[in-house]
């Protein structure tokens, strides 16, 4: 496994819609393995493939020792709203309060091409929405009314130092 460089927000690939995966082969498995390693090294709780320069619909999330690999993920159900702090590995050093759906259901394929559904709430729901946004070229700052809502991590209230602010 190889730790890859995480791109920051000004890189054009982060603004492009990622392509669907059609080949569930060794190179996809290598990509997923590298993404997990890169995310853990950062450290973060989620990473999308375009954040390491690969324009494919692939993302990984790790929360409470549970790894979720998502290939071609789609939001199929959402309900509720919640505002909470959020950060991104591609926007290091900053966090903001972002409104997200409280509960989501996502349909995706696993690394072998088998379809599955996963339900999430709280931070897992937030991470799922954040990663699907990445694969559509959307960053969390796009949900803010103004970039002045961004807060430096070092100046954020202490209760903000949660997993979410480590970066998704
Ligand atoms: Ni992110």
């Amino acid at each position: 496994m190889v730790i890859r460089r995480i791109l920051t927000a000004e890189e054009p690939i982060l603004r492009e819609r990622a392509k669907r995966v059609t080949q569930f082969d060794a190179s996809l498995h290598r990509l997923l393995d590298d993404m997990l390693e890169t995310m853990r090294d950062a450290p973060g709780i989620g990473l999308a493939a375009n954040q390491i320069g690969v324009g494919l619909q692939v993302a990984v999330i790790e929360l409470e020792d549970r790894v979720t690999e998502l290939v071609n993920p789609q939001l199929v159900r959402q309900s509720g709203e919640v505002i909470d702090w959020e950060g991104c590995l591609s926007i290091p050093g900053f966090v903001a309060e972002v409104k997200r759906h409280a509960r989501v259901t996502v349909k995706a394929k696993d690394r072998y091409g088998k379809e599955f559904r996963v339900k999430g709430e709280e931070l897992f729901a937030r991470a799922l929405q954040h990663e699907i946004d990445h694969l559509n070229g959307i960053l969390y700052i796009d949900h803010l009314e103004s970039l002045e809502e961004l807060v430096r991590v070092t100046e954020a209230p202490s209760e903000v130092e949660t997993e979410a602010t480590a970066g998704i």
Side-chain angles (χ1 to χ4, degrees):
M1 289 186 270
V2 181
I3 293 169
R4 313 272 283 263
R5 188 170 69 89
I6 297 176
L7 305 179
T8 46
E10 68 279 4
E11 300 276 353
I13 195 168
L14 286 170
R15 293 317 207 158
E16 292 164 14
R17 190 158 197 280
K19 292 194 173 67
R20 290 178 68 78
V21 171
T22 54
Q23 308 243 18
F24 296 82
D25 56 8
S27 78
L28 174 67
H29 299 175
R30 205 155 41 233
L31 172 64
L32 280 159
D33 293 344
D34 287 354
M35 286 172 62
L36 184 62
E37 192 79 352
T38 302
M39 179 189 70
R40 285 175 173 167
D41 176 69
I45 61 164
L47 188 71
N50 49 357
Q51 289 182 277
I52 58 165
V54 177
L56 290 173
Q57 290 188 29
V58 178
V60 293
I61 294 171
E62 185 173 37
L63 267 178
E64 293 166 358
D65 297 327
R66 177 179 166 210
V67 174
T68 305
E69 296 182 340
L70 302 153
V71 180
N72 302 339
Q74 275 182 284
L75 210 56
V76 291
R77 192 173 294 177
Q78 59 271 317
S79 64
E81 279 183 355
V82 61
I83 296 174
D84 207 346
W85 293 94
E86 191 167 318
C88 177
L89 293 174
S90 293
I91 307 171
F94 291 90
V95 291
E97 287 184 294
V98 182
K99 192 191 329 184
R100 297 283 188 185
H101 296 295
R103 291 165 297 279
V104 297
T105 302
V106 169
K107 182 173 85 172
K109 292 196 167 175
D110 71 10
R111 61 166 60 205
Y112 304 104
K114 187 172 184 293
E115 191 175 294
F116 68 96
R117 282 174 188 241
V118 62
K119 285 185 183 183
E121 50 184 47
E122 300 182 352
L123 183 52
F124 187 46
R126 182 167 295 271
L128 287 165
Q129 291 167 85
H130 183 113
E131 297 316 330
I132 290 173
D133 268 0
H134 267 306
L135 300 178
N136 287 309
I138 297 166
L139 298 172
Y140 81 83
I141 51 177
D142 301 341
H143 297 292
L144 307 179
E145 283 181 19
S146 157
L147 289 182
E148 289 173 16
E149 293 174 37
L150 284 173
V151 176
R152 281 184 193 280
V153 173
T154 51
E155 292 165 9
S158 58
E159 71 269 18
V160 172
E161 289 170 25
T162 63
E163 286 178 293
T165 59
I168 313 179

